[in-house]
Every structure is written in structure tokens, then in C-alpha cells.
Amino acid sequence: MSPPIAPVGWSRWLVPPAALAIHLSIGQAYAWSVFKPPLEDALGLSGTQSALPFQLGIVMLGLSAAFGGTLVERRGPRWAMTVALVCFSSGFLLSALGAATEQFWLIVFGYGFVGGIGLGIGYISPVSTLIKWFPDRPGMATGIAIMGFGGGALIASPWSAQMLESFGSDSSGIALAFLVHGLSYAVFMLLGVLLVRVPRPSGKERAGTDHAAAPAGPQVSARQALRTPQFWLLWVVLCMNVTAGIGILEKAAPMITDFFADTPTPVSATAAAGFVALLSAANMAGRIGWSSTSDLIGRKNIYRVYLGAGVLMYALIALVGSSSKPLFVLCALVILSFYGGGFATIPAYLKDLFGTYQVGAIHGRLLTAWSTAGVLGPLIVNWIADRQEEAGKHGAELYGTSLFIMMGLLVVGFAANELVRPVHPSHHLDAVTPEKGAPDVRRRQQSEPA
């Protein structure tokens, strides 16, 4: 499948909606917590077990992005979006079969493994294309698209809750909800597949301007990027920021219910689903708001905000969150805005450090940090909560230890960000010779899509 080249006069502002069609769909992953209580009741699962499909999905997201990043760069965004559509929708259909037959392993395989491949390929599919269309505002461009992934649960959370209420929260009702998800997302993602375009090889700028900006600054290949300390420092930064946010997000509905279970105003299942939707809105707003801000104040400074202020938000939740519902909600919203902003800012951070040459492939490799965090975050929160419950504790006591662990992880990420420096010129394409194992740059530039 050849990359679709934009005709003369094609507006670059049509590309972000194509990316949004994919990201709003695969962003359903952030609404997984809505399915956790029904699955636990219907199949007799623990909180740790019910997190497995989500955890495996995030693991596969990072692995498929890492191993498929170069292929996505070569084949183009339409091929990648088609693969994402097939895998993500098939994952829901397999999960529907697993729920109908009460075979939890099939839900883990379908949603986690197959659907997770769709998550990874779909997530990185528009990144390098958007940066090429918007060389003047990379943070804003990637923020527009990636905010769709954060905002997917804003649609999916109340939609899923309504389906479970209508179809029932037993295994057959869950199966029907999965089936509707799979078919609906296939249609919506198809819109993105049909709409996406890549810039013309001539370098003509879109939307009536003159010419695309020539690549400026350092240009580093994906292979060479792995040999730099900057890549691994950013890996730690992303992993720590994601671990701290994803732990709350995956457990959002049960967490707010537990925090206020012993108060005069407990949180209902419907209100908990609304809280998940609010977190999704914050996640979504942070991706466009904070990433656009990074174009003004710089990537390093914005990560100082994400990681430093994140520690303060976690401290407030741990110490006084159970005494004030508005404070708990506000702090969680800020944390999720930082979480989303971190995802949307990282492609532009990579572009600043490594250039545009293979930024999509480098981004894909960096998302292995997300895979690691996808296991660590839910595991820390769920495992500690399960152990505390076995010890006879309840309510906010289930989460105190995990919240302090998250604070420590954010401090580690803050320190790693402080160590980031510009990439040494010895790693740039014009400094790496074929004798050192570098690719033939001219041949590769001619072979890759514009």
C-alpha cells in the first residue's frame, strides 16, 4: 500500500482529523477501568487479574511501536492505520467471544495482545507525518493528534457504562458491549485511513504557503539514537511520568469509590464512570495545552512542570485527599493533564534532540518505556491494594503506600530530565561514516516517503 501523496492545494489541516479518527478510537484503552468491576463480578477475578488485558495491551503497544516504527516510516501512515484498524477491532471481537464463553484468557489475548498491536501501530502512525506537515509547530501538531488518544475515554467511558447498564453487567452483556465497540471503531477508524495524506516530494508547503522548511539542526538515525545517553534519559523520564499517571488511570473508577466509601457521600458507579470521563478530558486537554506551551517555553522546562508539580499533587492526595472530594478530583485532573502532556510533548522533544530524519522510528523505540510503565503502574497500585485489603484495611488506606511510591518515581524522572543535554555531533548523520556501521544516508533518504 503506497503512501497517499497530497495533491496540489491540499490543506495540511485535514491531516490532524485523520490522526484523531485513529487516536480517539484506540484511546478507548483509557476507559478499561469501567469494565474492571463487571468482569471481576462476572468471572470471579481479583483487581490484579482484571488489569491484565489493559497491562498486556500497553506492553504490546510499546513493543509493536518499537519493532514496527521503521516499517511504519517506510510504508507510510495509510498502511499503519489500516493495520491498526484490523488489529484493534479484531481484539474487541475476540474479547466478545471470550466474555460470551467466560474464557478470560481469550479476553487477555484479544484485547491485550491483538488489540495492543493495533494500539502501538495506530499510536505512532501519524507522528512523523504530522511533524513533516507542521515543521514550524511540532508540539502543537503532535498534541492535536495525540490528544485524541487521551480523549478516547471521554467518549468510551460513559458509552461503555451505558451499554453495560442496557445490556447487563453479566458475561453476555459484557460480550455484547465488546462486540459493539469492535464494529463501531472499525467504521470510525476507516475515516482516518481514507483521509490521511503525506506531503508532496517536491517539498511544496501546504495550505497556500511557499515551501516546507528544510531539515534544520541535528539529524540522527534511529539506530544511532539508541547509542546516545539522551535517548535513555528520555526513556526514564517517560517511563516514570507514565507509571505515575497510569496507576491512577487504570484504577480510577474503583479508587474514587474506595476513597469515599466510608463518607456520608459515597461515590456511585455512575459517578465513578463520570470521574473516568473527567480524567480523560484532563488527559486530552493536557496533550494539546501543555504540548503547545512547550513550543513557547521549551521541552525541558515543561517536563520540569510535569514531574515537579506532579509530586505535589500526589502528596496532597495521599495526605488530605480523602477529606475533600473536590481536592481529590482536582489533584487527579492535574496529574492526568501532566500525564497526557508528557505523551504529546515527547515527539517534539525527540525532534529537537534527534531531528526529523527518523523521528517516528525513534519515537516507536522510546515507547517501550510505556510498555514497562503499563506493567509497573497498575501492578503497584493493584497489588498493594489487594495486599492491604487482605490485611483488613479499606478505603483510602488501600492506596497510601502506592501513592508515595509514585512520588518517588516522579523524583527519579525529574533528575533524569535535568541530565538531558544536546546530542553530541559525533552521532549526527553527517559525522557517522559507513565504516562505523551507519546507513547509506543518500540511499535511505531516496527510498523513504516524503
Side-chain angles (χ1 to χ4, degrees):
M1 182 180 294
S2 301
I5 298 175
V8 176
W10 181 268
S11 173
R12 65 179 182 173
W13 292 102
L14 293 174
V15 180
L20 277 172
I22 302 297
H23 276 237
L24 280 170
S25 299
I26 63 177
Q28 183 281 334
Y30 283 146
W32 178 253
S33 64
V34 175
F35 286 101
K36 280 172 64 67
L39 280 172
E40 290 167 17
D41 293 339
L43 303 181
L45 307 173
S46 68
T48 303
Q49 289 173 320
S50 66
L52 285 175
F54 176 82
Q55 287 177 290
L56 181 57
I58 299 302
V59 169
M60 293 308 301
L61 185 158
L63 293 178
S64 61
F67 289 105
T70 303
L71 191 59
V72 169
E73 288 277 286
R74 186 181 306 124
R75 294 289 187 89
R78 176 169 288 178
W79 175 87
M81 290 178 177
T82 301
V83 172
L85 184 160
V86 172
C87 291
F88 189 66
S89 296
S90 297
F92 268 113
L93 299 182
L94 287 170
S95 297
L97 179 60
T101 58
E102 299 188 1
Q103 297 294 317
F104 182 60
W105 70 269
L106 192 53
I107 298 176
V108 175
F109 175 76
Y111 189 93
F113 185 82
V114 179
I117 295 173
L119 288 177
I121 300 300
Y123 190 87
I124 64 172
S125 60
V127 170
S128 63
T129 303
L130 282 165
I131 288 177
K132 290 170 185 175
W133 277 110
F134 294 87
D136 50 335
R137 286 176 282 181
M140 180 213 69
T142 55
I144 289 175
I146 293 177
M147 78 173 180
F149 194 91
L154 188 63
I155 299 169
S157 180
W159 183 39
S160 300
Q162 183 59 50
M163 277 195 284
L164 290 171
E165 184 177 338
S166 301
F167 301 150
S169 57
D170 58 0
S171 58
S172 60
I174 296 171
L176 188 53
F178 282 152
L179 177 63
V180 173
H181 275 75
L183 297 177
S184 300
Y185 284 131
V187 173
F188 192 59
M189 294 172 77
L190 183 61
L191 298 177
V193 171
L194 297 176
L195 187 61
V196 72
R197 298 290 188 279
V198 297
R200 294 181 64 78
S202 63
K204 292 289 183 182
E205 185 56 282
R206 281 63 53 192
T209 54
D210 296 329
H211 294 278
Q219 299 296 323
V220 182
S221 70
R223 178 182 298 179
Q224 198 68 21
L226 294 177
R227 301 174 182 174
T228 67
Q230 287 82 0
F231 176 89
W232 296 107
L233 287 170
L234 287 187
W235 193 97
V236 172
V237 168
L238 184 63
C239 185
M240 298 301 101
N241 192 53
V242 173
T243 301
I246 209 168
I248 281 187
L249 192 57
E250 187 274 338
K251 190 79 170 178
M255 181 180 287
I256 193 171
T257 302
D258 290 335
F259 251 78
F260 300 97
D262 300 327
T263 66
T265 56
V267 177
S268 66
T270 302
F275 174 63
V276 175
L278 280 177
L279 292 182
S280 178
N283 190 352
M284 185 176 183
R287 291 174 186 241
I288 181 62
W290 292 121
S291 62
S292 295
T293 303
S294 77
D295 286 334
L296 302 176
I297 69 173
R299 323 303 172 193
K300 192 169 188 175
N301 286 332
I302 202 69
Y303 271 95
R304 286 169 172 154
V305 174
Y306 299 155
L307 300 161
V311 173
L312 176 61
M313 295 299 105
Y314 265 108
L316 289 173
I317 291 177
L319 298 175
V320 295
S322 60
S323 63
S324 172
K325 196 177 296 181
L327 179 64
F328 176 92
V329 172
L330 177 62
C331 290
L333 292 177
V334 173
I335 289 171
L336 264 294
S337 77
F338 292 159
Y339 169 82
F343 276 120
T345 308
I346 204 69
Y349 209 161
L350 291 172
K351 179 259 183 187
D352 293 345
L353 290 171
F354 301 109
T356 59
Y357 174 53
Q358 287 190 329
V359 66
I362 297 171
H363 184 223
R365 287 159 172 77
L366 192 76
L367 289 182
T368 54
W370 193 356
S371 294
T372 303
V375 174
L376 285 179
L379 182 62
I380 290 170
V381 175
N382 285 290
W383 187 84
I384 291 176
D386 288 345
R387 300 292 81 76
Q388 298 287 60
E389 188 173 12
E390 290 174 1
K393 296 184 179 180
H394 56 87
E397 295 176 329
L398 299 175
Y399 304 99
T401 301
S402 58
L403 293 175
F404 283 108
I405 290 174
M406 298 304 179
M407 291 168 59
L409 295 177
L410 288 173
V411 171
V412 172
F414 189 94
N417 183 55
E418 291 302 304
L419 295 174
V420 174
R421 300 289 185 272
V423 175
H424 193 275
S426 63
H427 295 289
H428 296 182
L429 284 176
D430 55 3
V432 181
T433 64
E435 288 74 21
K436 293 181 182 179
D440 183 333
V441 175
R442 179 180 300 174
R443 175 174 57 80
R444 293 182 67 170
Q445 286 178 330
Q446 289 174 345
S447 64
E448 71 173 9

